Amino acid sequence: MTPRKLGKHGPEISAIGYGAMSFSDFYGATSEAESHAILDHCRDVGLTHLDTSNIYGMGRSEEVIGSYFAAHSEAKREFVIATKASIARDESGNRIFRNDRKHLEEELDKSLQRMGVDHVGLFYVHRRDPNVPIEEVTESLAAIVKTGKALGFGYSEIAPSSLRRAAKVAPVSAVQSEYSLSTRSPELGLVQACAELGTALVAFSPVGRSLLTDAPLSFETVQGLDFLRGNPRFMSPNYEANVSAVEAFQALAREMGLSAAGLANAWLLAQGDHVIPIPGTRSVSHLSDCLQGRDVRLTPEDLARIEAILPVGWAHGDRYSEAQWVGPERYS
């Protein structure tokens, strides 16, 4: 797997990483054994970047990684891990965002303990607190990096303007954002700003939460998943329109000898050497589908055919509901 850099000054990692939210039952029930099988497969194929968070399953994702490392201590040296913090609850149980250094470092310490490691490759602020200047947050993150607990830092779901402000304080290794053929908003400045500043753009949900695969989640399955049940793209009639719209894309992938998921990830890799998709799945076979795109070199003609089938704005419904939009920074 051709490596990419996790930021201009960061370590080399595999061009496609793995999003470990799936270890937490977010997209359906799974087991520790199934999650460990995913990690075995990652090692077998040279996938070296794992992305997790302190809130994925309230620590469960990190605990699964930790139990794997406890059984395979040599694997600690094979993976570059990213984790996140800042999403919390106040005394009344309301969801809040904390960007103060005390909270961030305390949560990072807990993450390190759960995973049984002494540092991570990357530490993200999961959501910005708009009441704290990003320059101040960046100073806190840079200070945490100096402790050796993280090799670099980043932000999740921020606007290009926020990235530019942060980068004036210290180099930002990565920005994580939803980016795929069904979510093109990062092209409104974030893809460009990351390339200019030497920041990796880590693309989560690269297969559109299953829409860009050969077997999108059924409408019945969606009804059992809290997040997707209230997501505009998975609500009727948008769901039916989106499933219909990707049929031609699935056919193109078959014509090219690829899975739809493989072609979707190959498209992302073609958007710049700084773009790193992190598909998440509970299935080794589905991960293998995604990884089909790792060594595909799409030609300008290939990209034009994809664009003709799924042009910018093809997806029906917003990527988040109004409630889900609380936290991510919107920009235009």
Side-chain angles (χ1 to χ4, degrees), residues 30-77:
T30 189
S31 68
E32 183 175 84
E34 290 171 318
S35 297
H36 284 189
I38 291 281
L39 294 172
D40 282 337
H41 187 65
C42 289
R43 296 174 69 194
D44 289 342
V45 300
L47 189 158
T48 62
H49 182 50
L50 299 179
D51 181 273
T52 185
S53 170
N54 66 333
I55 65 160
Y56 292 168
M58 302 311 294
R60 180 179 173 189
S61 175
E62 293 176 331
E63 289 168 354
V64 167
I65 294 170
S67 64
Y68 186 84
F69 286 163
H72 307 276
S73 60
E74 69 280 7
K76 294 180 183 181
R77 299 185 296 273

Side-chain angles (χ1 to χ4, degrees), residues 111-151:
S111 293
L112 297 177
Q113 184 175 13
R114 281 190 285 266
M115 291 186 284
V117 297
D118 59 12
H119 72 279
V120 291
L122 184 65
F123 182 49
Y124 289 104
V125 166
H126 208 157
R127 292 290 185 268
R128 270 201 67 200
D129 177 352
N131 299 310
V132 181
I134 198 167
E135 292 84 357
E136 181 181 322
V137 184
T138 302
E139 289 174 354
S140 296
L141 290 168
I144 290 172
V145 168
K146 288 181 179 178
T147 68
K149 297 175 184 178
L151 301 181

Side-chain angles (χ1 to χ4, degrees), residues 261-274:
L263 184 55
N265 279 281
W267 180 87
L268 274 169
L269 292 174
Q271 304 312 303
D273 291 342
H274 62 303

Side-chain angles (χ1 to χ4, degrees), residues 51-233:
D51 181 273
T52 185
S53 170
N54 66 333
I55 65 160
Y56 292 168
M58 302 311 294
R60 180 179 173 189
S61 175
E62 293 176 331
E63 289 168 354
V64 167
I65 294 170
S67 64
Y68 186 84
F69 286 163
H72 307 276
S73 60
E74 69 280 7
K76 294 180 183 181
R77 299 185 296 273
E78 300 173 17
F79 289 111
V80 176
I81 302 169
T83 193
K84 315 175 195 71
S86 79
I87 299 176
R89 299 282 178 181
D90 63 16
E91 294 179 354
S92 301
N94 300 309
R95 190 170 186 255
I96 59 171
F97 308 124
R98 288 190 57 180
N99 288 184
D100 57 285
R101 178 178 173 179
K102 181 177 184 295
H103 174 78
L104 294 174
E105 194 161 7
E106 285 179 351
E107 290 302 311
L108 176 56
D109 287 342
K110 294 175 186 175
S111 293
L112 297 177
Q113 184 175 13
R114 281 190 285 266
M115 291 186 284
V117 297
D118 59 12
H119 72 279
V120 291
L122 184 65
F123 182 49
Y124 289 104
V125 166
H126 208 157
R127 292 290 185 268
R128 270 201 67 200
D129 177 352
N131 299 310
V132 181
I134 198 167
E135 292 84 357
E136 181 181 322
V137 184
T138 302
E139 289 174 354
S140 296
L141 290 168
I144 290 172
V145 168
K146 288 181 179 178
T147 68
K149 297 175 184 178
L151 301 181
F153 68 86
Y155 289 92
S156 180
E157 296 270 48
I158 63 168
S161 55
S162 295
L163 171 59
R164 293 184 184 280
R165 288 172 57 191
K168 289 180 180 179
V169 177
V172 181
S173 297
V175 170
Q176 186 172 117
S177 180
E178 183 174 356
Y179 186 26
S180 72
L181 274 164
S182 56
T183 297
R184 302 283 291 273
S185 51
E187 294 169 11
L188 295 173
L190 188 61
V191 175
Q192 298 87 337
C194 285
E196 176 189 333
L197 297 168
T199 297
L201 176 52
V202 177
F204 71 82
S205 297
V207 296
R209 307 183 193 277
S210 84
L211 288 175
L212 298 167
T213 72
D214 291 308
L217 292 172
S218 69
F219 189 75
E220 291 72 25
T221 298
V222 166
Q223 301 318 300
L225 300 172
D226 290 343
F227 179 86
L228 290 186
R229 185 171 60 243
N231 184 280
R233 290 186 177 171

